[in-house]
Amino acid sequence: TSYYPQALEDLNSALKMNENSVLVLYMLGYLHESMGNYSEALKMYSRAIELDGDCFECCYRAINVKLSLGNYGDVYREAENLLKKYPQNLDLLKLCAKSSYYVGDYAKAEDYIAQVLQQDSTNAEYILLRIKILVEQKDYVKASTLLDLYARTDKKAKEYLLLRSRVQLEWNKNTIAAASSVEQALELYPNDYDVLLAAASLASSSKRKIAGLEASDFAEMVLEKDPGNQEAL
């Protein structure tokens, strides 16, 4: 990361020499994406695609940036279209799985997750995404089974602890166990928004303190750093 400013200067100089270089535009897009400048990255990738619409790398990264920008509908549509050309591409299958989940098409998401896991059976992120879908569908038996399997390899993952808490609360009706799972997450990820909001939600619904704090305390922690956070408000 210490070389990003120099890389940006060099690539901008290269672009002045040849404004129609797909490679330079791609590298500029990738650099901006690495720096978290997603809107600027998308501009660079889009310009590269205008010059070469068949460049897979540019098309894929443009879709990936749109996922970071929260344009889930566009990602879902464009990733599926690109997948027709590259039906076994693992990165595209992952994009399709995530975007279909975000737009609420759980049936499609499960299908894509299954295809991802066929190629990469130990991918924890997509195992957890499947559990998320099962919890959203209130299929707690399957969700609980997968959580138990996942726990054999990692009991400290943030998503695992939060999903376990939801199953304990919504299915087992065990507020104490759910609170214990959230408190573990708070110990491991004390500044994480998802964890703080989960603690706030549980404290509010159960009318009890979590790790000695009220729901409003956790909401305030989020709002201190992100005053516009809708869920915290």
Side-chain angles (χ1 to χ4, degrees), residues 31 40 42 51 57 65 74 103 144 173 184 194-195 198-199 227:
L31 178 59
E40 194 62 30
L42 185 56
L51 294 166
E57 290 80 2
V65 164
D74 289 345
V103 299
S144 182
K173 310 301 180 185
Q184 287 181 52
D194 292 336
V195 174

Side-chain angles (χ1 to χ4, degrees), residues 8 12 25 37-38 105 118 125 143 148 163 175 182 188 199:
L8 186 60
N12 280 326
L25 288 166
N37 303 330
Y38 299 124
D105 191 340
Q118 281 177 359
E125 181 181 2
D148 289 342
L163 286 167
T175 305
V182 171
L188 294 167

Side-chain angles (χ1 to χ4, degrees), residues 58-204:
C58 293
C59 292
Y60 167 75
R61 295 241 59 94
I63 298 170
N64 195 63
V65 164
K66 289 179 182 179
L67 185 71
S68 299
L69 288 168
N71 301 339
Y72 304 131
D74 289 345
V75 174
Y76 189 25
R77 183 181 65 258
E78 292 174 21
E80 283 203 317
N81 285 336
L82 195 57
L83 191 65
K84 292 173 184 176
K85 293 183 179 180
Y86 307 92
Q88 299 301 316
N89 186 279
L90 183 58
D91 290 327
L92 281 177
L93 287 170
K94 289 177 178 179
L95 277 180
C96 287
K98 282 185 177 180
S99 59
S100 54
Y101 168 76
Y102 287 134
V103 299
D105 191 340
Y106 295 147
K108 274 286 188 72
E110 282 209 86
D111 179 53
Y112 286 126
I113 291 168
Q115 293 182 63
V116 169
L117 294 176
Q118 281 177 359
Q119 295 190 44
D120 185 7
S121 61
T122 60
N123 191 307
E125 181 181 2
Y126 288 85
I127 293 172
L128 286 171
L129 187 58
R130 177 145 195 267
I131 298 171
K132 274 186 181 179
I133 292 170
L134 292 171
V135 172
E136 293 295 338
Q137 294 175 327
K138 302 189 185 305
D139 191 344
Y140 298 118
V141 175
K142 288 182 181 178
S144 182
T145 301
L146 278 178
L147 282 169
D148 289 342
L149 288 171
Y150 185 87
R152 295 177 185 177
T153 55
D154 185 4
K155 291 184 177 181
K156 296 183 177 180
K158 179 188 78 174
E159 293 287 358
Y160 163 76
L161 290 169
L162 296 184
L163 286 167
R164 188 176 74 173
S165 173
R166 281 192 61 184
V167 170
Q168 289 166 332
L169 182 67
E170 297 172 16
W171 185 39
N172 304 126
K173 310 301 180 185
N174 191 334
T175 305
I176 294 174
S180 177
S181 294
V182 171
E183 285 170 353
Q184 287 181 52
L186 284 167
E187 288 180 15
L188 294 167
Y189 312 96
N191 299 311
D192 186 274
Y193 286 4
D194 292 336
V195 174
L196 292 171
L197 291 169
S201 178
L202 181 58
S204 177

Side-chain angles (χ1 to χ4, degrees), residues 40-60:
E40 194 62 30
L42 185 56
K43 289 180 185 177
M44 296 298 108
Y45 292 139
S46 297
R47 284 177 60 186
I49 292 168
E50 287 176 7
L51 294 166
D52 183 1
D54 292 324
C55 177
F56 171 81
E57 290 80 2
C58 293
C59 292
Y60 167 75

